[in-house]
Amino acid sequence: MTVADQLRVLIVEDSSDDADLLAHELKRGGYEVESQRVDTEEGMALALERNIWDLIICDYSMPHFNAMAALVLLRGSGLDIPVIVVSGAVGEDVVVETMRAGARDYILKDSLMRLVPAVKRELLQAQARRKEAERERLISFLFELSHDFFCIAGFDGYFKTLNPQWSKVLGWSETELTTKPFIEFVHPEDREKTNDMCKSLAARKDAMAFENRYLCKDGSLRLFLWNATPLVSERLYFASAHDITDISRSHEAVLQGERRFRELLEETHLFSVMLDIEGRVTFCNYALLNKTGFMREEVIGKSWFDVFLPDDARQSVSDMFHGKIRAGEMPSYFENEIQTRSGARRLVIWNNVILRDEAGKITGTASIGEDITERKEYEKVLHGKMLEIEKLNKFMTGRELRIIELKKEVDNLLKAGGLPPKYKV
């Protein structure tokens, strides 16, 4: 028995016999079950507060509680726990209403063979949701704490999302900043330049750096050094600005901005790497080195393709890189395998931008990569499980329909014989 086979189940059911039957079915499916039965709103609320649950199995209707109220209570708790409703025969409208309220599946009590496949599916999906929520939480944490100015702006000229630094430094509220065109907060002398830069950025796919001045609510000005990149498919700009008001607009300011950018990349759990136009590594962060097992001095100045690419992919990826650099373009997203010092392979999806100097000359590329090796394996397993579930569902649906037809035939025969119907379907 593994940790993955252990299952903590909250059973919302007024019948202890039915609760035991559910626990028995899960054990037959290979789970080591730890369960608690409740049948009131107070009991469920207390159980959610005191314990951590992997799954909730709920009867639709009980004397003092019901599935709809249980789903409302769970939503109010903010917990992400899959709920499977197991109940007697009900109308299709009830099933639809329950699923819309948040139930992950609805299983009839006389069809418990569907329970274990449904549980396996929902546990896999819940695990995926938790990983994605944690990733978003870490990104949000970085976004909120940064002393630089991060924003997402639309091609329509309005800010969509801003980190707290904007209001803290400029003095404008978030509502003020997002309900007016952002160009109105730019110094009048810099507006034409800023509009031209936005148009140019929307027409290309690589990052651009520029400076402009923003108006504070108290009438003062702040000088921003921007790095921005477009997401053309969504008609959005992703940008960060460093306040260089108190720093001379000299080469030292550019170097300091680059150092801050590299420090930020060092702290992220994603892979970060910069290459020059020949494909030599000029920067790589700790996350990449830690995962691959290389020392920094082993890779800086060396060919990215010779060090990190497997033999069977090295030439094709190298040819693609040099061809794109010559053409002045680079795929925004690219997926390929890299190899570690030990020869193990990791599948990485990269977000790439071309780097340019102040004169617009290409100096190399910057890439952020996410290791999706485990996620791909998970997706492969999940796909297989979903296909298996779909086959089972088709089989069980046909069987359940045939049972309903047989019950109707029995009722008709009873009526023909002058006897009351037994099933009333």
Side-chain angles (χ1 to χ4, degrees):
M1 188 69 64
T2 66
V3 174
D5 295 322
Q6 296 176 357
L7 187 63
R8 294 162 296 186
V9 187
L10 179 59
I11 302 177
V12 186
E13 169 65 70
D14 61 309
S15 168
S16 59
D17 290 339
D18 284 355
D20 290 343
L21 185 61
L22 291 168
H24 177 70
E25 187 68 21
L26 293 172
K27 290 176 182 176
R28 286 205 320 133
Y31 288 105
E32 182 179 313
V33 179
E34 177 186 337
S35 66
Q36 178 183 343
R37 183 181 70 85
V38 297
D39 59 3
T40 65
E41 182 175 358
E42 295 78 10
M44 180 175 173
L46 194 60
L48 292 175
E49 180 181 344
R50 291 184 173 180
N51 295 291
I52 298 174
W53 303 102
D54 301 311
L55 177 72
I56 297 175
I57 300 179
C58 185
D59 194 358
Y60 180 76
S61 179
M62 295 162 281
H64 306 293
F65 202 29
N66 60 61
M68 300 301 290
L71 290 166
V72 170
L73 176 60
L74 180 63
R75 273 200 309 274
S77 72
L79 299 171
D80 181 11
I81 306 173
V83 177
I84 296 177
V85 176
V86 178
S87 191
V90 294
E92 183 179 348
D93 57 334
V94 172
V95 176
V96 171
E97 179 186 23
T98 307
M99 299 294 283
R100 285 178 175 172
R104 309 299 298 185
D105 207 339
Y106 198 112
I107 297 174
L108 299 179
K109 287 187 175 180
D110 59 2
S111 300
L112 288 185
M113 64 284 294
R114 288 187 54 217
L115 180 60
V116 171
V119 168
K120 290 180 178 179
R121 179 193 68 222
E122 294 307 323
L123 292 179
L124 283 171
Q125 293 182 356
Q127 182 184 40
R129 289 195 302 273
R130 284 192 294 271
K131 287 183 177 180
E132 182 61 24
E134 176 63 14
R135 180 175 177 272
E136 290 180 357
R137 187 189 70 80
L138 290 172
I139 293 173
S140 177
F141 184 71
L142 178 64
F143 188 78
E144 293 292 319
L145 289 185
S146 176
H147 292 293
D148 282 340
F149 297 75
F150 291 114
C151 71
I152 301 174
F155 286 11
D156 61 359
Y158 286 82
F159 286 126
K160 307 301 181 182
T161 304
L162 299 163
N163 70 332
Q165 192 72 356
W166 284 87
S167 294
K168 180 180 177 181
V169 174
L170 299 186
W172 306 102
S173 69
E174 184 174 355
T175 300
E176 290 172 316
L177 288 164
T178 56
T179 54
K180 295 181 181 180
F182 59 73
I183 199 66
E184 293 188 15
F185 299 98
V186 176
H187 189 283
E189 294 179 1
D190 293 346
R191 289 177 184 176
E192 183 178 357
K193 175 181 69 173
T194 301
N195 278 329
D196 289 344
M197 191 63 66
C198 289
K199 291 176 183 177
S200 178
L201 190 61
R204 56 201 296 177
K205 296 182 179 180
D206 52 352
M208 297 180 67
F210 62 95
E211 296 177 9
N212 65 3
R213 291 167 291 175
Y214 263 71
L215 303 170
C216 298
K217 197 167 188 177
D218 63 7
S220 61
L221 297 172
R222 307 301 296 182
L223 177 63
F224 287 164
L225 174 62
W226 288 91
N227 276 291
T229 188
L231 183 58
V232 178
S233 61
E234 300 294 331
R235 297 184 60 79
L236 294 173
Y237 306 106
F238 290 79
S240 64
H242 180 53
D243 187 348
I244 59 171
T245 308
D246 301 323
I247 306 173
S248 64
R249 290 159 67 175
S250 63
H251 185 60
E252 179 56 30
V254 176
L255 292 178
Q256 182 167 340
E258 183 178 348
R259 284 196 298 269
R260 289 178 63 85
F261 180 63
R262 293 192 178 206
E263 288 169 2
L264 182 63
L265 293 181
E266 281 290 358
E267 294 171 1
T268 182
H269 66 287
L270 301 174
F271 298 164
S272 302
V273 63
M274 295 182 185
L275 308 180
D276 65 17
I277 59 175
E278 297 301 325
R280 293 184 292 261
V281 180
T282 59
F283 170 82
C284 61
N285 70 344
Y286 173 78
L288 177 61
L289 295 171
N290 184 55
K291 180 63 72 171
T292 58
F294 291 104
M295 301 294 289
R296 195 179 302 273
E297 56 267 26
E298 294 178 297
V299 300
I300 296 297
K302 304 294 177 54
S303 166
W304 164 260
F305 313 102
D306 290 343
V307 177
F308 290 98
L309 271 292
D311 291 341
D312 56 358
R314 182 174 298 126
Q315 193 61 51
S316 61
V317 177
S318 176
D319 290 346
M320 183 276 293
F321 173 87
H322 289 98
K324 294 295 184 181
I325 282 288
R326 286 192 296 271
E329 59 183 314
M330 188 61 61
S332 298
Y333 295 94
F334 184 72
E335 183 178 304
N336 71 292
E337 287 185 325
I338 64 172
Q339 66 181 4
T340 67
R341 173 190 280 276
S342 66
R345 296 191 177 206
R346 308 296 300 181
L347 183 60
V348 181
I349 183 167
W350 299 97
N351 189 333
N352 310 297
V353 296
I354 288 180
L355 300 176
R356 300 174 184 268
D357 62 18
E358 294 179 350
K361 182 180 178 181
I362 295 175
T363 59
T365 62
S367 302
I368 300 292
E370 180 181 4
D371 186 344
I372 60 170
T373 308
E374 284 76 19
R375 189 173 81 192
K376 282 291 186 181
E377 287 298 319
Y378 155 76
E379 290 173 353
K380 181 179 178 181
V381 173
L382 179 60
H383 180 68
K385 296 296 183 183
M386 294 296 288
L387 290 177
E388 181 180 351
I389 290 168
E390 184 177 346
K391 292 179 182 178
L392 286 172
N393 278 337
K394 288 181 180 179
F395 171 76
M396 295 310 303
T397 299
R399 182 176 177 180
E400 288 168 4
L401 291 174
R402 180 55 183 156
I403 290 172
I404 291 173
E405 291 174 357
L406 290 173
K407 288 180 177 180
K408 286 182 178 178
E409 292 173 7
V410 170
D411 281 350
N412 290 336
L413 289 172
L414 289 172
K415 289 179 181 179
L419 298 174
K422 177 179 177 63
Y423 297 105
K424 299 178 182 180
V425 293

